[in-house]
């Protein structure tokens, strides 16, 4: 399959996998093994002498998969910028999934704070992966700020609703053919991820759908196949839907056929 | 002197720099980032960062994330 390259780094898969909410560290490791994701998302929290976060990192670093730290839980541009700077210190990468929450009920990103934070971080040499709504004008402004990757939501984080607004997502794809587009959040079933890939998205980022599945490793494998299938379908040229039927089996020379039978 | 570490005040004997504090907290070898009074201090500047009474430190490490 054609490989995705982000900021000069070739990724082995178009599935980006979150590392939170797994029933155990072992379940996380098995899900990563089954998914073989191109990217793993990680986060930052207060560390203590007990070194809880260090143990988590031991699992992740063994896979040798690029990591994308996030600014989850930030509610202001300043908070997100500081968290991004600390993430760069901890993980040694200038990639950041920029997340600035504007509404606690839907976890909808705050577009204004997102834009402010993106501008500051790009000036500080970060490669910003903004987690955003599917708003076209916001996308234009983020691109004008210097973002080359956009990550619109499919649906609210953890909702498993799939693609709430396929029209808006398709529009972003059509309007920004040169931008790397990733559906981030809201994915529930592998078919949702395949649908995102079929409309030309470059990758899908998901977490809860795998972590909370009955069998996370098996679900991770299912998502991996769905994303691969969706990408192959997009590249192969999906037929346009039409209202009327067209017989798929040729009628000429069918048994008992004779001139004038129709 | 009193330093607030991840929200919890703690007493130390001055004078100290940031490196000393992290050493006393047994965190010097850890994969962490530190902000002093909301300003990130890169690892190579820990020894050159004097601590003052009332300073606040945010010490972050890796964690699961989506």
């Amino acid at each position: 399959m054609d490989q995705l390259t982000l900021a000069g780094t070739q990724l082995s898969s178009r599935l980006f996998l979150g590392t939170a909410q797994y029933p155990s560290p072992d379940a996380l490791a098995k899900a990563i093994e089954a998914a073989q994701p191109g990217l793993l998302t990680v986060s930052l929290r207060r560390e203590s002498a007990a070194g809880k976060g260090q143990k988590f990192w031991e699992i992740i670093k063994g896979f040798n998969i690029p990591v994308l730290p996030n600014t989850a839980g930030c509610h202001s541009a300043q908070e997100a910028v500081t968290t991004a700077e600390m993430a760069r210190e901890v993980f040694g990468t200038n990639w950041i999934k920029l997340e600035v929450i504007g509404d606690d009920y839907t976890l909808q990103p705050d577009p204004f704070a997102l834009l402010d934070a993106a501008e500051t971080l790009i000036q500080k040499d970060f490669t910003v992966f903004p987690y955003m709504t599917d708003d076209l004008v916001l996308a234009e402004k983020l691109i004008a700020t210097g973002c080359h990757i956009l990550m619109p939501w499919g649906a609210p984080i953890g909702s498993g609703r799939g693609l709430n607004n396929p029209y808006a997502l398709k529009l972003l794809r059509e309007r920004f053919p040169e931008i790397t587009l990733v559906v981030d959040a809201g994915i529930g079933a592998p078919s949702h991820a395949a649908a995102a890939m079929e409309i030309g998205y470059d990758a899908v980022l998901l977490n809860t759908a795998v972590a909370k599945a009955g069998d996370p490793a098996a679900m991770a494998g299912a998502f991996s196949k769905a994303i691969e299938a969706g990408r192959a379908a997009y590249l192969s040229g999906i037929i346009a839907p039409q209202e009327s039927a067209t017989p798929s089996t040729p009628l000429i020379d069918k048994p008992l056929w004779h001139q004038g039978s129709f | 002197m009193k330093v607030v570490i991840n929200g919890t005040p703690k007493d130390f004997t001055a004078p100290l720099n940031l490196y000393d504090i992290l050493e006393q907290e047994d965190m010097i070898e850890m994969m962490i980032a530190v902000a002093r009074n909301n300003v990130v201090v890169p690892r190579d500047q820990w020894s050159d960062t004097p601590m003052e009474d009332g300073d606040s430190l945010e010490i972050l490490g890796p964690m699961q994330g989506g």
Side-chain angles (χ1 to χ4, degrees):
Chain A
M1 200 169 78
D2 64 320
Q3 288 192 307
L4 178 61
T5 300
L6 286 185
T9 301
Q10 198 171 58
L11 304 182
S12 61
S13 164
R14 291 169 183 272
L15 166 58
F16 300 171
L17 189 64
T19 56
Q21 303 187 84
Y22 291 81
S24 67
D26 186 51
L28 165 63
K30 284 182 173 150
I32 297 172
E33 189 62 44
Q36 291 296 313
L39 260 188
L40 287 169
T41 55
V42 291
S43 196
L44 286 178
R45 287 294 179 273
R46 284 174 165 173
E47 184 61 288
S48 67
K52 199 175 164 193
Q54 313 299 307
K55 290 166 193 154
F56 161 69
W57 182 246
E58 285 302 310
I59 299 171
I60 297 303
K61 79 173 183 193
F63 286 98
N64 204 23
I65 293 171
V67 294
L68 177 63
N70 68 28
T71 62
C74 291
H75 284 73
S76 71
Q78 182 52 54
E79 218 181 333
V81 168
T82 305
T83 305
E85 288 178 318
M86 294 184 85
R88 180 156 64 181
E89 280 290 306
V90 169
F91 296 105
T93 175
N94 64 349
W95 291 9
I96 192 75
K97 172 180 163 177
L98 182 59
E99 197 175 326
V100 189
I101 298 303
D103 177 68
D104 283 329
Y105 183 71
T106 59
L107 297 179
Q108 180 167 332
D110 176 339
F112 309 103
L114 183 71
L115 196 58
D116 277 357
E119 201 167 4
T120 305
L121 289 171
I122 286 166
Q123 282 166 6
K124 291 173 182 275
D125 285 332
F126 279 88
T127 299
V128 177
F129 295 57
Y131 165 61
M132 57 180 287
T133 58
D134 48 31
D135 187 275
L136 178 67
V137 178
L138 173 60
E140 276 174 350
K141 290 186 184 295
L142 284 165
I143 293 166
T145 297
C147 292
H148 302 291
I149 300 154
L150 298 179
M151 303 210 297
W153 66 353
I157 296 171
S159 67
R161 294 173 55 85
L163 309 184
N164 262 355
N165 191 347
Y167 168 78
L169 292 172
K170 276 185 201 167
L171 200 61
L172 291 176
R173 180 67 294 168
E174 285 165 19
R175 291 290 294 274
F176 307 116
E178 304 303 323
I179 295 295
T180 299
L181 290 177
V182 181
V183 166
D184 177 7
I187 298 294
S191 55
H192 301 152
M197 298 306 292
E198 285 171 8
I199 60 172
Y201 273 62
D202 295 288
V204 175
L205 197 167
L206 56 99
N207 189 156
T208 311
V210 166
K212 295 288 189 188
D215 184 338
M219 186 60 83
F223 268 105
S224 178
K225 288 175 188 156
I227 287 168
E228 210 169 304
R231 178 66 182 174
Y234 171 71
L235 294 176
S236 307
I238 297 169
I239 64 164
Q242 56 184 26
E243 295 301 320
S244 58
T246 308
S248 50
T249 305
L251 294 178
I252 303 294
D253 291 337
K254 84 174 185 69
L256 309 179
W257 183 85
H258 58 85
Q259 203 86 36
S261 60
F262 293 101
Chain B
M1 71 178 175
K2 214 174 265 306
V3 175
V4 179
I5 298 181
N6 285 344
T8 306
K10 208 164 174 181
D11 285 314
F12 292 91
T13 309
L16 289 172
N17 61 39
L18 178 54
Y19 187 96
D20 300 328
I21 297 254
L22 294 169
E23 199 168 37
Q24 288 189 26
E25 289 296 296
D26 213 12
M27 297 181 83
I28 208 79
E29 299 295 330
M30 286 187 179
M31 186 175 163
I32 51 172
V34 184
R36 173 177 170 257
N37 302 330
N38 294 321
V39 177
V40 181
V41 184
R43 186 176 280 265
D44 61 6
Q45 292 173 23
W46 289 353
S47 306
D48 306 322
T49 305
M51 297 297 295
E52 288 172 21
D53 186 45
D55 274 354
S56 176
L57 294 180
E58 204 63 30
I59 306 175
L60 304 185
M63 187 55 68
Q64 297 89 335

